[in-house]
């Protein structure tokens, strides 16, 4: 298992920026990919971005392409999400998740960090 702790959320005006961090500990050597998901009030959790842990392959949901950037620092076992040009519809609880090698889904999740974008 991998333990994940998110930080960096907060309240920002539309057009502003935030950087989320996700510190990983535990069996990080078994990680294939890490990603960000979000859940807005009354909505289902949705995929935001993903990055392979040893490589640099990335993927984003269409609504954040060109505005969000996922990155990592393997030496610090930390995943980041740089969020620019934030919109009120980006308001959500953001979760970090890890997918183990050989797994078909994300099995480790953080507790989430709240992002609120005011108009």
């Amino acid at each position: 298992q991998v333990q994940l702790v998110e930080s960096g959320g907060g309240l920002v005006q539309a057009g502003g920026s935030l950087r989320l961090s996700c510190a990983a500990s535990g069996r990080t050597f078994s990680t294939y990919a890490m990603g960000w998901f979000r859940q807005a009030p009354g909505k289902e959790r949705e995929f935001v971005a993903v990055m392979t842990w040893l490589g640099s392959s990335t993927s984003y949901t269409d609504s954040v392409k060109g505005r969000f950037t996922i990155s990592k620092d393997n030496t610090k076992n930390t995943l980041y999400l740089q969020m620019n040009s934030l919109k009120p519809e980006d308001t959500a609880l953001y979760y970090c998740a890890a997918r183990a090698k050989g797994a078909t889904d994300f099995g480790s999740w953080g507790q989430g960090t709240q992002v609120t974008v005011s108009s």
Side-chain angles (χ1 to χ4, degrees):
Q1 273 288 53
V2 176
Q3 291 76 47
L4 304 171
V5 178
E6 303 97 333
S7 62
L11 173 64
V12 64
Q13 288 188 331
S17 299
L18 282 174
R19 189 177 81 155
L20 305 183
S21 299
C22 174
S25 60
R27 297 174 59 89
T28 57
F29 59 86
S30 67
T31 300
Y32 170 72
M34 290 184 68
W36 292 97
F37 295 76
R38 65 187 181 186
Q39 187 167 20
K43 295 187 177 181
E44 293 188 353
R45 187 166 58 193
E46 65 170 350
F47 163 78
V48 175
V50 67
M51 187 171 204
T52 52
W53 191 239
L54 294 181
S56 297
S57 178
T58 61
S59 180
Y60 298 88
T61 191
D62 286 346
S63 62
V64 308
K65 286 180 180 177
R67 300 189 298 122
F68 290 11
T69 302
I70 190 171
S71 64
K72 60 184 173 66
D73 185 335
N74 291 86
T75 64
K76 297 180 179 179
N77 285 334
T78 301
L79 182 75
Y80 303 99
L81 185 68
Q82 178 66 44
M83 305 185 295
N84 299 328
S85 302
L86 282 161
K87 305 175 181 180
E89 51 264 43
D90 294 318
T91 294
L93 187 61
Y94 282 71
Y95 295 93
C96 172
R99 177 183 159 190
K101 295 173 184 176
T104 56
D105 58 7
F106 288 83
S108 298
W109 293 83
Q111 81 290 348
T113 185
Q114 179 67 38
V115 172
T116 303
V117 184
S118 62
S119 57

